[in-house]
Amino acid sequence: ETLTSNVPVNDNLAYFPDPNQYQWYWPGPGVISGNRIEILLCLYSSFGSNPLDIKFQGTYLGIINESNLDLEKIILISNSQINWSQWILHTNNTTYIYGIGNGTSSMYVARVNGTDLEGKWSYYDGRGWSVDQSSAVSVFNKVAAGFSVASFDSEYILFTSNVTVPYGIFNG
């Protein structure tokens, strides 16, 4: 069964309300943690007349009550230039959070114990794990904005697109 928001479709309201007319949340991956659904969100803002004039503003966490699907709160996770809402992988008793550098193809990794994304994050710094987000280093430099990671035995497998080949329709 697929559950949806109890907001009527004709009200044109997002599940995660926009902070204002120039900003909106883009939902990413989520986890079940206790009696809560936790969804990572990107906050974007528009700054021009072109629909693609958008700027990444930070990573937030939406907390939803699992029993009634009410949005309890939205909290700031990070206002760095790493978008931490790309992928989540839970393995053993650790949840790994994967991010991408804003405007780059660099992948970063953070983690929390258990599944509570509101808990204490640590960031891979090239040698181990640090609670200082500014020490996070890229673990891979050629990922597309849409990627996924899977664990297999004791290894992690990254699935991504080739970011060196342009795609789409371009003018000029």
Side-chain angles (χ1 to χ4, degrees):
E1 176 182 9
T2 301
L3 302 176
T4 61
S5 163
N6 55 6
V7 175
V9 173
N10 59 0
D11 283 351
N12 199 23
L13 296 175
Y15 199 92
F16 303 101
D18 299 335
N20 61 54
Q21 66 181 2
Y22 303 106
Q23 293 182 311
W24 63 94
Y25 294 108
W26 191 274
V31 297
I32 302 292
S33 183
N35 63 347
R36 304 178 338 168
I37 303 168
E38 299 180 352
I39 306 288
L40 288 170
L41 307 167
C42 303
L43 180 64
Y44 287 101
S45 64
S46 60
F47 61 87
S49 59
N50 186 317
L52 295 178
D53 290 342
I54 60 174
K55 182 178 179 188
F56 173 72
Q57 298 289 310
T59 304
Y60 287 74
L61 182 64
I63 309 284
I64 300 168
N65 181 303
E66 187 181 37
S67 65
N68 59 18
L69 297 181
D70 284 345
L71 177 62
E72 293 180 357
K73 61 183 172 178
I74 296 176
I75 60 171
L76 175 67
I77 292 293
S78 169
N79 60 2
S80 77
Q81 288 300 298
I82 299 173
N83 176 343
W84 290 106
S85 68
Q86 295 300 303
W87 192 258
I88 294 175
L89 175 67
H90 183 74
T91 180
N92 298 324
N93 194 32
T94 303
T95 301
Y96 294 94
I97 304 106
Y98 295 86
I100 190 168
N102 185 40
T104 74
S105 57
S106 298
M107 184 177 81
Y108 297 84
V109 183
R111 70 180 184 182
V112 296
N113 290 327
T115 57
D116 185 4
L117 300 180
E118 198 175 5
K120 189 174 195 170
W121 288 38
S122 57
Y123 307 87
Y124 186 71
D125 66 6
R127 297 177 309 280
W129 298 94
S130 169
V131 295
D132 179 14
Q133 182 178 192
S134 66
S135 68
V137 299
S138 173
V139 296
F140 194 75
N141 289 319
K142 298 217 185 276
V143 295
F147 63 83
S148 61
V149 179
S151 63
F152 181 73
D153 292 333
S154 61
E155 298 181 323
Y156 295 88
I157 304 166
L158 169 66
F159 298 92
T160 188
S161 299
N162 182 348
V163 297
T164 61
V165 177
Y167 61 93
I169 300 171
F170 298 97
N171 293 319

